[in-house]
Amino acid sequence: MMKYYHNIFKHPYKKLYHVHMYQPNKPLAKFIFNVHKKTATINNIEVFHKNQGIGSIVLKDIEGYVLKKYGVYKINVCAWQKMGSTDVLNFYKKNGYVFSDEKSTFYDDSIYIYDLYTLEKKT
């Protein structure tokens, strides 16, 4: 079992929580979440060591926390990935998320074009 620690910062004017996850002396991930009317929204998950199962551990940790602390009924995420890629969508599907809207949109940061998808998971 992996031991990890959290550093949670609540934005003073918004209902946003910025979270950093660490192992002793090693950053694992960071993400942002908020809760509104029994729905949690997770944003900007960044895992520092990919393809080691850490992303799934981070996601399960977030889900467990918001379910226990806030009693949420649904969790929303916005998945974004480079156009033509499927790895991010596959990750969320593997972890029980489904499309909340079949339509996708895109974002162009002047270097890459990203596909954006909204997904959800009922708790």
Side-chain angles (χ1 to χ4, degrees):
M1 171 138 238
M2 180 189 323
K3 288 190 174 193
Y4 50 86
Y5 308 93
H6 298 92
N7 182 3
I8 301 174
F9 169 75
K10 182 183 182 300
H11 192 283
Y13 303 111
K14 299 178 184 175
K15 294 181 181 180
L16 285 177
Y17 295 86
H18 296 260
V19 182
H20 291 259
M21 289 179 68
Y22 299 93
Q23 281 184 308
N25 302 318
K26 179 181 176 184
L28 292 176
K30 65 180 179 177
F31 56 90
I32 300 169
F33 77 90
N34 72 5
V35 178
H36 180 69
K37 295 185 179 180
K38 300 292 184 182
T39 298
T41 302
I42 304 168
N43 296 304
N44 300 328
I45 298 175
E46 183 178 356
V47 176
F48 301 121
H49 307 285
K50 307 245 189 277
N51 301 317
Q52 298 177 16
I54 295 171
S56 292
I57 290 169
V58 169
L59 196 55
K60 299 284 184 232
D61 182 73
I62 302 167
E63 293 169 354
Y65 180 79
V66 296
L67 181 61
K68 182 178 176 183
K69 182 152 176 102
Y70 300 101
V72 300
Y73 299 113
K74 183 171 72 169
I75 300 172
N76 295 321
V77 298
C78 177
W80 54 280
Q81 61 192 0
K82 288 183 185 173
M83 187 173 274
S85 178
T86 61
D87 56 334
V88 174
L89 276 182
N90 292 341
F91 166 76
Y92 282 111
K93 287 179 182 179
K94 175 182 84 171
N95 283 284
Y97 285 79
V98 296
F99 287 107
S100 56
D101 184 354
E102 289 289 330
K103 295 182 285 185
S104 68
T105 186
F106 69 93
Y107 172 72
D108 181 351
D109 72 355
S110 299
I111 299 172
Y112 298 107
I113 299 174
Y114 295 93
D115 291 320
L116 305 170
Y117 302 92
T118 55
L119 295 106
E120 66 182 28
K121 183 176 187 177
K122 308 278 185 189
T123 57

